[in-house]
Amino acid sequence: MKIVKHYLLSWGVNTIGNWSDREFIRFARMPYVIPMDAFCEEGFPHTPEAIFRDFPDVFSPAYEESAARYAKGLEAFAQDPYLIGYFMRNEPAWAFVYGLNIAEEMLANPAQTVSKDVFVERLERRYGEVSAFNEAWGLELDSFEELKKGIYKAASLSERAAADLQAFSEEMITRYVEIPARELRKVDKNHLNLGMRYAYITDKSLLCGSENFDVFSINSYQITPLEPVEQVSGWLDKPVMVGEFHQGALDKGLTAHGIRGVTTQKERGCAYRYYVEQGLTNPYFLGAHYFQLNDQSCLGRFDGENYQIGLVDVCMQEYADMTQAMRECHEGMYRVAAGEQAAWDRVPEDIEPIHY
């Protein structure tokens, strides 16, 4: 732990990133962040019946009960002055779909959920007679209850169907965020809610509920973070944090680059500076967490990843070309952010990565 803390300070790293060892966090006495779903046995709040992938039945009382249990994991950290804030979860599986309409998936799912009951009740109140509903949606149902049996791709039925489903989808995503966010805030009013660490923005509806975040977080394995930061900040007047990025090379260490590949360790340093300093040219860019400190196992971690992405190798020896570039980047980063120093502008030798 002494060696790791020495490394972090010598490289100019100012935050202990997500998923870090709790014993090390206590020892280091440095600013840090935590993944909230890792401090509850149940993980992120869920319900017995899911709507789509890991998206829960957000109108069910079980979701509120699960959220209250989830928030208790924050109690041990609520008074810690070294805690910057917490991520609510990482890369929700339901969000990996472009143009996703959660309400449409809910209707296609034959499971009987509270959310579906609420939606059908809303439609009955809005349209009154099933004949009026049928005309608006292009259906021939005998009753509103028939909706609960399941309809595939309902948003394609008519413009009114698409609008009704989109509105309810956005309401569901808002509840997905705000119910656990509210419970977390009850436990801890002192620290920042750092959002969901979405993998990428597949649809603008992913921004629903973001008024509950202090910071919008996204994982970005692009050559710079500017595209997602500009995309999100164009919609929200809110700081944006990158939860993960990395670059790997095969001239030393393991046999896979990771998600982003460059030619050499020297180019890894160039890529790091280019990523961070280009990001600093946008005033909404709060910062980025590098993933990860050490190389992965040559035999692969739990899912097979065996990436050369570390700042140190398996013998705890630093990749000097990479870490020297980090030092230089961090020494000048506040001047870059203030516009007093030009951002690093040499584009790294980016190559097709070997990963999955």
Side-chain angles (χ1 to χ4, degrees):
M1 290 194 292
K2 289 180 180 178
I3 292 170
V4 171
K5 182 177 179 180
H6 168 77
Y7 274 147
L8 295 179
L9 295 178
S10 73
W11 300 333
V13 172
N14 59 16
T15 305
I16 299 172
N18 211 37
W19 299 301
S20 295
D21 181 76
R22 191 168 177 183
E23 186 179 357
F24 176 70
I25 286 172
R26 286 194 294 264
F27 166 83
R29 296 176 69 81
M30 291 174 61
Y32 69 96
V33 297
I34 55 173
M36 272 314 307
D37 54 336
F39 292 96
C40 173
E41 288 186 11
E42 301 177 25
F44 190 80
H46 63 280
T47 54
E49 290 284 359
I51 298 293
F52 173 71
R53 296 186 179 176
D54 57 352
F55 194 94
D57 186 2
V58 293
F59 280 88
S60 170
Y63 187 60
E64 296 186 17
E65 294 161 5
S66 182
R69 294 190 296 271
Y70 157 84
K72 288 186 181 298
L74 188 54
E75 290 176 346
F77 301 91
Q79 303 304 319
D80 190 344
Y82 288 101
L83 176 66
I84 295 171
Y86 47 84
F87 296 107
M88 293 180 67
R89 66 164 303 169
N90 182 64
E91 297 185 350
W94 60 266
F96 282 84
V97 179
Y98 283 95
L100 177 66
N101 187 315
I102 288 289
E104 182 181 48
E105 297 294 341
M106 175 189 67
L107 275 192
N109 186 342
Q112 298 306 300
T113 60
V114 178
S115 297
K116 188 184 290 184
D117 291 341
V118 170
F119 183 55
V120 172
E121 288 170 10
R122 296 262 188 94
L123 293 175
E124 189 166 7
R125 286 201 304 271
R126 180 173 304 146
Y127 290 99
E129 299 294 330
V130 72
S131 57
F133 170 73
N134 283 336
E135 183 178 354
W137 275 48
L139 290 170
E140 296 180 356
L141 304 182
D142 293 326
S143 71
F144 285 97
E145 283 295 308
E146 286 188 60
L147 281 169
K148 297 180 182 181
K149 296 178 182 178
I151 298 177
Y152 186 61
K153 291 191 176 297
S156 64
L157 293 171
S158 71
E159 289 185 6
R160 288 290 297 276
D164 288 341
L165 288 163
Q166 183 62 31
F168 196 69
S169 180
E170 292 176 2
E171 185 177 352
M172 292 173 75
I173 295 172
T174 298
R175 286 181 65 86
Y176 175 82
V177 174
E178 73 179 5
I179 289 173
R182 184 173 61 233
E183 294 298 327
L184 289 165
R185 195 64 78 194
K186 287 179 185 177
V187 172
D188 181 0
K189 295 180 173 61
N190 300 315
H191 298 109
L192 298 177
N193 184 322
L194 302 175
M196 295 277 183
R197 295 168 58 97
Y198 288 116
Y200 38 84
I201 302 300
T202 55
D203 188 86
K204 193 175 179 180
S205 63
L206 267 62
L207 305 181
C208 293
S210 58
E211 62 273 13
N212 295 279
F213 303 147
D214 299 300
V215 174
F216 193 95
S217 55
I218 189 165
N219 298 340
S220 175
Y221 286 93
Q222 295 162 278
I223 196 165
T224 82
L226 286 174
E227 181 182 340
V229 170
E230 289 169 355
Q231 181 186 36
V232 172
S233 63
W235 289 322
L236 304 173
D237 185 20
K238 194 177 293 288
V240 182
M241 176 186 285
V242 171
E244 293 178 22
F245 77 105
H246 67 222
Q247 307 87 12
L250 304 187
D251 59 332
K252 294 181 181 178
L254 304 178
T255 57
H257 296 97
I259 297 173
R260 199 92 206 179
V262 292
T263 53
T264 64
Q265 299 304 311
K266 190 174 182 64
E267 286 304 299
R268 287 185 71 209
C270 173
Y272 183 93
R273 288 199 68 174
Y274 189 73
Y275 189 99
V276 173
E277 295 189 30
Q278 289 297 311
L280 290 167
T281 63
N282 187 303
Y284 285 92
F285 178 66
L286 187 63
H289 292 167
Y290 185 83
F291 183 78
Q292 58 184 32
L293 171 67
N294 51 285
D295 279 345
Q296 295 176 327
S297 166
C298 66
L299 298 179
R301 65 174 195 177
F302 66 92
D303 61 354
E305 287 187 9
N306 63 336
Y307 299 164
Q308 192 286 299
I309 52 174
L311 309 179
V312 297
D313 62 21
V314 294
C315 298
M316 288 297 293
Q317 301 300 301
E318 62 184 307
Y319 289 102
D321 289 331
M322 174 69 166
T323 56
Q324 180 57 31
M326 292 174 65
R327 288 188 187 93
E328 293 167 3
C329 174
H330 299 156
E331 284 171 3
M333 65 182 179
Y334 293 108
R335 292 190 296 276
V336 173
E340 299 167 359
Q341 177 177 313
W344 181 267
D345 61 0
R346 186 171 82 76
V347 180
E349 295 178 29
D350 200 48
I351 60 175
E352 190 70 25
I354 298 171
H355 51 109
Y356 285 121

